[in-house]
Amino acid sequence: MDVGERRSVIEERVIREGEVQFGTLAAELEVSAMTIRRDIEALEQAGVVRRITGGAIAVGGSAAFEPSYGSRAGRAVGSKKVIGARIASLLSPGEVVLLDSGSTVAAVAEALRGRALGLTVVTPSIKVATILADEPDTTVVLAGGLVRPGELSLIGPDAERLVSQYNCETYVAGVAGVDSRRGLTEYHPEEAAVKRAAVEGARRLIVGADSAKLGRVHLVTIAPLDAVDVLVTDAEPDHEVLLHAQSTGTEVISIRSTTPR
């Protein structure tokens, strides 16, 4: 298989599946990971794919594609840990906090352990509830509703109703995409509906998003970018999305300089 054929195979794969991993492609095509990286760089220059940590995603036509929770949780682990710790530092003792579903917010929950903040945590995430269930002085309120397999998040009218009825001081949101024009977006309509209810009910909205999520638009819009009070990310401070967010009044916290490489 020559270079052109290999790149055609990779292009067809990423368009069909929405996402590819360098290591998997290298093994299947029997070439080095560096060769795959060069192929991906060429496809990115052609506007076919966009590189992310450990792989690439399709550009266009993939708004509804949702990678598995395991796949997402395995990306940018170091960045999510630092983002989670920074968000945890923004919460005050005794707050009523709504912690979202998703791997980034799970990192926030992990960072809250041992801080003894005496929080009341409302969450539609079974994972988050499990992380904080035995934390001293922490009250955990788990939303009702339908359980999404794999995600272990709760969706549907019951979940929306519960997150709406609590007067949360802060909502820590996990999102699939953050875009200057389309705002905060998510893959799954019912997941997005719960997040939308949470945005409407909280006084402060904090979003944690690693750099791969900036500029990405997915199936459903949750809220405009100017609804975000604080955006915590590992992207460079001069990223176009961050500059736009700041221009609308959002506080942007870039932890790029302290993110493990």
Side-chain angles (χ1 to χ4, degrees):
M1 186 182 294
D2 64 23
V3 174
E5 290 173 333
R6 188 177 63 247
R7 290 178 181 173
S8 293
V9 168
I10 295 171
E11 179 178 351
E12 290 173 3
R13 175 81 167 269
V14 74
I15 290 173
R16 184 177 69 252
E17 298 184 7
E19 179 180 3
V20 293
Q21 299 294 314
F22 294 144
T24 301
L25 286 174
E28 292 179 0
L29 298 176
E30 299 181 344
V31 294
S32 69
M34 185 57 68
T35 295
I36 295 297
R37 288 178 185 275
R38 286 196 293 266
D39 291 338
I40 293 296
E41 287 174 1
L43 292 172
E44 185 175 45
Q45 290 174 1
V48 175
V49 305
R50 179 179 175 185
R51 282 176 293 174
I52 60 173
T53 303
I57 59 171
V59 173
S62 61
F65 171 74
E66 181 175 18
S68 68
Y69 182 92
S71 171
R72 301 197 313 273
R75 290 188 205 144
V77 175
S79 292
K80 289 175 183 177
K81 185 175 181 179
V82 179
I83 290 170
R86 187 68 180 90
I87 291 175
S89 74
L90 300 175
L91 303 179
S92 302
E95 270 198 80
V96 180
V97 180
L98 201 160
L99 294 185
D100 207 354
S101 56
S103 56
T104 301
V105 182
V108 177
E110 291 284 3
L112 287 171
R113 290 181 59 85
R115 291 181 182 248
L117 293 178
L119 301 176
T120 295
V121 174
V122 181
T123 183
S125 168
I126 295 173
K127 293 178 186 291
V128 167
T130 301
I131 291 168
L132 295 174
D134 296 326
E135 187 66 7
D137 300 323
T138 298
T139 301
V140 178
V141 180
L142 183 60
L146 300 174
V147 178
R148 287 192 67 200
E151 299 293 317
L152 293 184
S153 61
L154 295 157
I155 59 173
D158 289 339
E160 293 173 45
R161 188 159 45 249
L162 187 134
V163 300
S164 296
Q165 74 183 36
Y166 278 85
N167 297 314
C168 296
E169 291 154 288
T170 300
Y171 170 36
V172 178
V175 297
V178 182
D179 182 69
S180 298
R181 190 169 68 89
R182 301 302 298 175
L184 309 179
T185 60
E186 187 54 65
Y187 305 103
H188 193 278
E190 289 184 285
E191 192 90 54
V194 176
K195 295 175 189 288
R196 210 174 288 120
V199 169
E200 293 172 359
R203 291 212 302 254
R204 177 173 66 155
L205 172 58
I206 298 177
V207 173
D210 62 80
S211 59
K213 295 178 179 178
L214 301 187
R216 291 176 65 176
V217 176
H218 292 280
L219 187 62
V220 186
T221 294
I222 302 163
L225 191 53
D226 61 10
V228 180
D229 295 292
V230 185
L231 175 58
V232 183
T233 181
D234 64 337
E236 296 289 355
D238 61 354
H239 192 289
E240 181 271 334
V241 173
L242 302 186
L243 295 177
H244 181 82
Q246 288 177 312
S247 73
T248 66
T250 298
E251 178 186 357
V252 172
I253 299 174
S254 174
I255 48 86
R256 181 75 175 181
S257 61
T258 59
T259 300
R261 298 297 184 111

